[in-house]
């Protein structure tokens, strides 16, 4: 797998995770234990987005030796 | 992807330069739009300057964005929404963290953070600690009383995030902290350079314990430039038998740079999370070439509650022309933060940086770690008094040390000094940040 493909795969899983966490968060207004814990999960997911998702568009292809 | 786990984020930390710059432009545009849309303070500032988010098309365009100074933040705070004022970008109920600056240069500035911001703080620190060799097997001792200041809170959270075991060493005196280290055998420690040396002095001279036998393998410093001053770094490393690493950060900014295990005589800028610009002090033009000092203007790309967009930090830095052997592509600033525009002062017409005096004092065997610099006037002429202590057993060597000190100071700072030798143990000792430089001319 090239670097770009790896990043895309990571990002795909992060977005799936986010979708589930958001759904939990949105349906838990009356359940603070889920609401507040899913807020924290979303904050951690945000860190994964900063580390991975932000790079997907800027990374061109593989490492120089993979080109 | 490289197989080794040398990097906290191997994708980010090895990005080719053109991709780093693309990422920075993309992220600057995002935070600028955020500040423009959510902060009345920033919007007013940008409207007055006639600049809008769509005007940022290249990294060069960023230079037209007005800088923000600490004094501007002081002016807007303590107002609604209390206590942060107009720069707050989120509803107050989303703020989970309060910190404030130390007030060294005036009234403290309050810093709100959401939980996402706080995760981001510890993420920045995770880059630092991983680069310095912290791993889940480490037990980390933090001999510091955390409070309203940000110091070491984020280091603590980041160490936990990495998987280290963290021992909070607040509310203990220095002797009790040494005993706790002896009892628990931590492998790493975080402290200010002043306190790293003070702990070693206490262990050795008041408790008869050689600090290098305590098992600390690495020390991360913050709060002062000492870990990037070679002679101070050497003293700390020799005393503790440990590798000592620097990092730079600030309450209003975040932890923006770090030394790695290769100790490249400089700090890597975390260019995935921050945009560092070095600005010529006189012309205001950006400095791209290595070796020319200027002031740091910095943007934190991902901090949302109170954004940091082109913040004029007043730190003096310079780019290094070296590439680090660690393989990170993040650029290095040479010698860390070498001073602050507030501290660098003209004495007898010559620019004096207090860190240059520290480098000389700590390079001379026979002098203790403590010193004090007082600048005043004798008649119409500036006078610098340097107070130092001889270590016990070096009294007979005073004449040689005095001559060496005077020579080295002249060589490194181009200035002559009035030297005062004080009895060992009589100069002030500090537990956190030292205040060793006093300019009494400002009182005239």
């Amino acid at each position: 797998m090239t670097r770009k493909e790896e990043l895309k795969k990571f990002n795909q899983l992060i977005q799936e995770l986010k979708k589930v966490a958001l759904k939990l968060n949105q349906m838990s207004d009356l359940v603070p234990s889920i609401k507040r814990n899913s807020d924290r999960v979303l904050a951690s997911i945000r860190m994964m987005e900063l580390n991975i998702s932000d790079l997907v568009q800027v990374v061109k292809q593989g490492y120089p030796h993979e080109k | 992807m490289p197989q080794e786990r040398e990097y906290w984020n191997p994708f980010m930390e090895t990005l080719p330069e053109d991709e780093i710059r693309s990422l920075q432009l993309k992220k600057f545009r995002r935070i600028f739009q955020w500040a423009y849309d959510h902060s009345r303070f920033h919007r007013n500032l940008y409207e007055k300057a006639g600049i809008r988010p769509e005007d940022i098309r290249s990294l060069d365009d960023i230079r037209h964005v007005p800088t923000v100074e600490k004094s501007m933040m002081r002016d807007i705070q303590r107002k609604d929404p209390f206590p942060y004022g107009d720069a707050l970008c989120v509803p107050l109920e989303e703020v989970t963290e309060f910190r404030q600056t130390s007030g060294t240069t005036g009234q403290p500035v309050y810093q709100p953070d959401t939980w996402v911001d706080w995760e981001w703080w510890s993420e920045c620190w995770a880059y630092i600690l991983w680069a310095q060799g912290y791993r889940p097997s480490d037990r980390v001792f933090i001999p510091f009383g955390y409070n309203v200041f940000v110091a070491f809170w984020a280091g603590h959270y980041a160490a936990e995030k990495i998987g280290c075991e963290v021992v909070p060493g607040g509310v203990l005196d220095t002797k009790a902290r040494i005993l706790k280290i002896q009892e628990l055998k931590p492998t790493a420690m975080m402290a200010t350079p002043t306190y790293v040396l003070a702990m070693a002095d206490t262990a050795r001279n008041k408790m008869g314990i050689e600090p290098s036998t305590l098992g600390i393998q690495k020390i991360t410093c913050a709060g002062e430039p000492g870990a990037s001053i070679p002679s101070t770094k050497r003293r700390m490393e020799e005393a503790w038998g440990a590798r000592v690493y620097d990092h730079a950060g600030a309450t209003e900014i975040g932890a923006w740079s770090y030394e790695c295990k290769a100790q490249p005589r400089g700090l890597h800028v975390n260019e995935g999370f921050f945009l560092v610009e070095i600005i010529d002090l006189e012309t205001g033009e950006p400095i791209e070439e290595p070796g020319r000092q200027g002031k740091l203007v910095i943007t934190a790309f991902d901090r949302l509650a109170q954004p940091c967009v082109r913040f004029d930090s007043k730190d003096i830095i310079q780019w290094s022309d070296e590439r680090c052997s660690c393989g990170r592509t993040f650029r290095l600033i040479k010698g860390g933060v070498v001073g602050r525009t507030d501290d660098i002062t003209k004495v007898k017409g010559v620019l004096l940086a207090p860190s240059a005096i520290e480098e000389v004092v700590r390079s001379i065997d026979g002098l203790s770690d403590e010193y004090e610099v007082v600048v005043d006037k004798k008649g119409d002429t500036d006078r610098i008094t340097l107070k130092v202590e001889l270590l016990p057993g070096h009294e007979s060597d005073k004449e040689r040390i005095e001559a060496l000190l005077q020579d080295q100071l002249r060589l490194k700072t181009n200035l002559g000094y009035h030297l005062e030798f004080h009895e060992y143990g009589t100069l002030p000792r500090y537990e956190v940040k030292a205040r060793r430089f006093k300019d009494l001319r400002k009182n005239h």
Side-chain angles (χ1 to χ4, degrees), chain B residues 326-387:
Chain B
C326 74
R328 285 177 181 78
T329 48
F330 289 167
R331 283 180 291 179
L332 290 167
I333 54 166
K334 188 178 180 180
V337 174
V338 296
R340 290 181 52 78
T341 54
D342 305 334
D343 292 340
I344 292 179
T345 182
K346 270 195 175 173
V347 181
K348 297 178 186 173
V350 176
L351 281 176
L352 172 68
S355 58
I357 300 174
E358 176 167 319
E359 164 65 0
V360 171
V361 171
R362 300 239 170 105
S363 70
I364 295 176
D365 292 337
L367 289 178
S368 86
D369 298 324
E370 305 302 331
Y371 67 95
E372 196 169 276
V373 183
V374 181
V375 181
D376 62 2
K377 289 250 183 212
K378 191 177 180 187
D380 287 334
T381 312
D382 292 338
R383 177 177 63 173
I384 321 172
T385 301
L386 173 61
K387 302 175 184 179

Side-chain angles (χ1 to χ4, degrees), chain B residues 13-234:
Chain B
E13 291 174 271
T14 61
L15 277 182
E17 184 170 354
D18 61 329
E19 293 177 359
I20 292 178
R21 301 296 156 246
S22 299
L23 177 67
Q24 290 185 312
L25 177 59
K26 171 184 161 177
K27 294 185 80 167
F28 186 91
R29 295 176 67 166
R30 185 168 73 194
I31 191 67
F32 186 64
Q33 182 81 56
W34 170 266
Y36 191 87
D37 290 343
H38 294 88
S39 155
R40 270 180 297 184
F41 164 75
H42 287 90
R43 180 119 184 192
N44 289 340
L45 186 69
Y46 302 145
E47 281 182 347
K48 268 187 202 162
I51 190 159
R52 299 172 57 82
E54 55 269 30
D55 296 329
I56 308 297
R57 292 182 211 91
S58 69
L59 286 172
D60 285 341
D61 293 334
I62 291 171
R63 272 195 280 150
H64 304 299
V65 174
T67 57
V68 173
E69 295 191 11
K70 191 179 271 191
S71 59
M72 297 157 82
M73 300 307 291
R74 287 189 185 113
D75 289 344
I76 61 166
Q77 293 201 326
R78 294 177 173 78
K79 294 173 190 158
D80 286 336
F82 184 82
Y84 304 111
D86 276 353
L88 187 67
C89 288
V90 297
L92 261 179
E93 59 267 28
E94 288 186 22
V95 175
T96 59
E97 311 295 320
F98 169 91
R99 304 280 183 262
Q100 67 176 60
T101 59
S102 61
T104 312
T105 56
Q107 181 181 298
V109 171
Y110 299 150
Q111 180 68 47
D113 282 310
T114 64
W115 183 256
V116 178
D117 290 329
W118 189 242
E119 276 287 353
W120 168 84
W121 250 110
S122 61
E123 193 66 23
C124 295
W125 261 86
Y127 274 83
I128 296 168
L129 297 182
W130 194 268
Q132 296 174 354
Y134 287 67
R135 295 294 182 271
S137 55
D138 277 308
R139 178 174 295 140
V140 184
F141 186 69
I142 307 181
F144 191 79
Y146 316 159
N147 52 37
V148 291
F149 308 129
V150 78
F152 299 115
W153 279 105
H156 181 129
Y157 276 68
E160 287 179 346
K161 183 182 278 205
I162 282 174
C164 303
E165 178 187 354
V166 184
V167 182
V171 205
L172 295 171
D173 66 15
T174 303
K175 284 183 180 173
R177 286 168 174 163
I178 302 285
L179 291 173
K180 191 53 82 181
I181 291 173
Q182 200 172 42
E183 174 192 339
L184 294 176
K185 301 181 175 33
T187 54
M189 187 166 82
M190 301 177 197
T192 62
T194 290
Y195 196 56
V196 171
L197 290 170
M199 285 179 83
D201 184 59
T202 298
R204 214 179 251 155
N205 297 314
K206 294 183 181 157
M207 302 172 76
I209 297 170
E210 185 51 47
S212 62
T213 65
L214 290 171
I216 298 283
Q217 296 161 15
K218 50 189 167 277
I219 300 173
T220 300
C221 287
E224 298 172 319
S228 283
I229 297 174
S231 58
T232 300
K233 188 195 224 25
R234 181 175 57 81

Side-chain angles (χ1 to χ4, degrees), chain B residues 228-393:
Chain B
S228 283
I229 297 174
S231 58
T232 300
K233 188 195 224 25
R234 181 175 57 81
R235 283 193 176 210
M236 290 190 281
E237 291 194 329
E238 285 178 3
W240 286 90
R243 301 291 290 272
V244 171
Y245 301 107
D246 197 11
H247 98 284
T251 312
E252 315 92 312
I253 303 168
W256 56 273
S257 67
Y258 53 93
E259 191 173 7
C260 65
K261 278 199 297 181
Q263 293 186 310
R265 290 175 295 174
L267 307 181
H268 288 281
V269 174
N270 184 339
E271 296 192 280
F273 282 25
F274 297 90
L275 178 69
V276 160
E277 301 168 70
I278 305 180
I279 304 296
D280 188 288
L281 287 172
E282 292 186 354
T283 66
E285 290 298 309
I287 297 173
E288 289 297 334
E289 67 270 33
R292 257 182 71 202
Q293 291 187 352
K295 68 175 175 179
L296 167 69
V297 169
I298 188 163
T299 299
F301 293 130
D302 306 299
R303 198 176 192 181
L304 300 181
Q306 186 167 282
C308 168
V309 181
R310 296 206 83 218
F311 180 69
D312 180 351
S313 78
K314 313 234 180 273
D315 287 327
I316 303 290
I317 58 171
Q318 61 185 310
W319 292 118
S320 167
D321 59 357
E322 291 177 27
R323 304 287 290 187
C324 186
S325 62
C326 74
R328 285 177 181 78
T329 48
F330 289 167
R331 283 180 291 179
L332 290 167
I333 54 166
K334 188 178 180 180
V337 174
V338 296
R340 290 181 52 78
T341 54
D342 305 334
D343 292 340
I344 292 179
T345 182
K346 270 195 175 173
V347 181
K348 297 178 186 173
V350 176
L351 281 176
L352 172 68
S355 58
I357 300 174
E358 176 167 319
E359 164 65 0
V360 171
V361 171
R362 300 239 170 105
S363 70
I364 295 176
D365 292 337
L367 289 178
S368 86
D369 298 324
E370 305 302 331
Y371 67 95
E372 196 169 276
V373 183
V374 181
V375 181
D376 62 2
K377 289 250 183 212
K378 191 177 180 187
D380 287 334
T381 312
D382 292 338
R383 177 177 63 173
I384 321 172
T385 301
L386 173 61
K387 302 175 184 179
V388 292
E389 294 175 347
L390 284 172
L391 285 170

